[in-house]
Amino acid sequence: MNLYQERISRVCKRMQEAGLSQLLITDHLSIYYLTGIDVLPFERFWALLMRVDNGPILFANKLFALGDTGFETVLYTDTDDISAMVAPYIAAGMLGVDKNIAARFLLPILDACEGTRPVLGSDCVDRVRACKDEAEKELMRRASQINDSCMEKLVAFLHDGVTERECAAYLDRCYAEYGCEGLAFDSIISFGANASDPHHTPDDTVIHEGDCIVIDIGCKKEHYCSDMTRTYFWKKADSAYVALYNLVREANERAEAMVRPGVRLCDIDAAARDHIAAAGYGEFFTHRLGHFIGMEDHEQGDVSSINTGLAQKDMVFSIEPGIYLPGKFGARIEDLVIVTEDGCELLNHVEKQIRILGNASNE
């Protein structure tokens, strides 16, 4: 059984557990995951119909020029009636659909399929994608190795007078040198008070002595994402902010020490959140501890106070506690982890002990 057949088999097993005999998938990344065929369809219909009792069927516009896909494939043109094309392959009863399907496609298909009732079936794919196979884990290690290297290059690039926007442009060039497809998400590079905004967009703010520096970056390499955050200080650091930085680092390390199969994801969140709250800064940790990641930077699944699901071997997610003092200061430390049989593998290896940059004696 090849890689894609094995993944299809795992999804079909999930479908059976959910009581579904058919599932219409339109998420182009999930289709790539299951077939190895990479199509970005834009506004056009691109779908994979999974059937427990029969093989999958691809629906594709002729302009995609797929050639021999290895799957049963139904082709159409821009002037064809998509609902009429799909309807003959849909059985009466429950039809699983994914969370990405556009209403402009789904509603006409349902009108053309008498006795068909749609149900959300995304979990059948998302829960399989959440646990990475060996090929995926290796790709994620490579992407994170690149991210580690580019973080160190960016740190070395920092200099008096540089702006956040210039740093972001430099980082783009670094990723390009490593042959990355692009960014996993818009880079977050924040100087000083800008770091109090967890999702700050780099602007023309210039670095100043005493600034905290939050760098949250990731690339996409061979379809898979990296993601890491580090916090630094420029030339000097206020002792109160150093204490907050160390509090965040301790929270990060406590949560990572909790990760293993069978541990509730909400308990991993609590390991970090309770440590920060005990020091009086709970209200300033304003987001969940982590998110799942793979072909997308934020995949289905998270590490949050309300997710009572269990960590499973081969899940990959972020651990990223933070403290944000509005208009003053921010610190976040983020690693990606792979859940192993008895703990976790850290994908990021950039130093987390405090670093004061811009001063040769502290480099």
Side-chain angles (χ1 to χ4, degrees):
M1 183 180 294
N2 69 30
L3 177 67
Y4 301 111
Q5 290 172 330
E6 194 274 335
R7 291 174 180 176
I8 287 170
S9 177
R10 288 166 63 196
V11 170
C12 285
K13 182 179 178 181
R14 290 285 187 186
M15 289 170 61
Q16 289 175 308
E17 292 170 353
L20 290 175
S21 62
Q22 53 188 352
L23 172 63
L24 189 62
I25 301 168
T26 59
D27 174 12
H28 74 281
L29 291 176
S30 288
I31 296 174
Y32 171 75
Y33 174 78
L34 293 167
T35 68
I37 302 170
D38 187 18
V39 168
L40 189 60
F42 298 103
E43 79 279 9
R44 291 180 171 88
F45 187 71
W46 166 238
L48 179 69
L49 179 63
M50 295 283 291
R51 301 176 297 174
V52 168
D53 297 327
N54 297 286
I57 301 175
L58 276 169
F59 298 94
N61 194 296
K62 288 183 178 179
L63 64 80
F64 297 152
L66 299 180
D68 182 8
T69 67
F71 297 91
E72 181 178 352
T73 303
V74 177
L75 300 175
Y76 71 94
T77 70
D78 283 344
T79 57
D80 288 334
D81 182 342
I82 290 171
S83 60
M85 171 191 69
V86 175
Y89 299 92
I90 303 293
M94 289 196 302
L95 170 66
V97 296
D98 69 8
K99 58 185 180 294
N100 292 53
I101 191 165
R104 71 179 184 276
F105 296 133
L106 178 59
L107 296 179
I109 289 172
L110 294 176
D111 286 342
C113 297
E114 186 176 348
T116 298
R117 179 168 64 90
V119 296
L120 187 61
S122 290
D123 272 1
C124 296
V125 183
D126 292 339
R127 290 176 65 186
V128 170
R129 282 178 55 182
C131 293
K132 273 44 180 181
D133 54 40
E134 293 302 319
E136 292 180 288
K137 287 187 289 185
E138 186 55 34
L139 289 170
M140 296 202 70
R141 291 185 186 105
R142 292 178 193 170
S144 286
Q145 288 168 0
I146 292 171
N147 211 30
D148 281 0
S149 296
C150 289
M151 176 69 81
E152 294 291 11
K153 288 177 179 289
L154 180 56
V155 165
F157 174 77
L158 291 168
H159 55 273
D160 286 326
V162 74
T163 68
E164 297 168 345
R165 199 188 309 274
E166 289 168 339
C167 290
Y170 175 79
L171 181 66
D172 290 347
R173 297 194 294 273
C174 288
Y175 287 144
E177 289 174 1
Y178 281 95
C180 298
E181 288 104 69
L183 301 175
F185 56 93
D186 291 341
S187 300
I188 300 169
I189 301 173
S190 312
F191 298 159
N194 290 345
S196 66
D197 174 4
H199 283 169
H200 173 71
T201 299
D203 59 25
D204 292 324
T205 299
V206 175
I207 199 168
H208 291 103
E209 184 175 299
D211 277 352
C212 60
I213 307 164
V214 172
I215 302 175
D216 185 348
I217 59 174
C219 61
K220 182 170 281 193
K221 175 70 171 176
E222 296 180 80
H223 295 282
Y224 282 81
C225 297
S226 59
D227 190 355
M228 171 178 53
T229 308
R230 291 294 184 265
T231 300
Y232 304 104
F233 293 89
W234 187 247
K235 293 194 172 180
K236 67 178 183 180
D238 184 283
S239 60
Y241 293 158
V242 169
L244 292 182
Y245 174 88
N246 285 326
L247 183 64
V248 171
R249 178 181 54 78
E250 291 162 2
N252 167 272
E253 292 170 350
R254 283 172 179 250
E256 290 173 353
M258 283 278 294
V259 178
R260 66 182 61 86
V263 175
R264 295 193 308 172
L265 295 164
C266 59
D267 292 335
I268 299 172
D269 180 280
R273 195 170 305 279
D274 291 352
H275 186 64
I276 290 174
Y281 290 92
E283 67 180 293
F284 302 108
F285 181 8
T286 55
H287 52 76
R288 62 192 176 183
L289 181 64
H291 56 85
F292 283 37
I293 183 170
M295 289 186 288
E296 297 172 280
D297 180 53
H298 284 210
E299 292 195 338
Q300 190 73 13
D302 66 14
V303 185
S304 68
S305 60
I306 62 171
N307 190 347
T308 58
L310 304 181
Q312 299 176 43
K313 183 178 179 295
D314 299 327
M315 283 181 171
V316 184
F317 48 77
S318 67
I319 300 289
E320 49 180 304
I323 293 176
Y324 312 94
L325 305 183
K328 296 180 180 179
F329 168 83
R332 180 166 65 258
I333 300 174
E334 174 189 17
D335 297 310
L336 298 184
V337 301
I338 301 176
V339 182
T340 61
E341 290 184 356
D342 56 2
C344 71
E345 173 189 348
L346 293 182
L347 291 184
N348 301 108
H349 304 286
V350 175
E351 178 61 59
K352 291 189 280 191
Q353 293 293 329
I354 192 165
R355 290 173 68 180
I356 301 174
L357 308 173
N359 183 333
S361 63
N362 292 315
E363 289 295 301

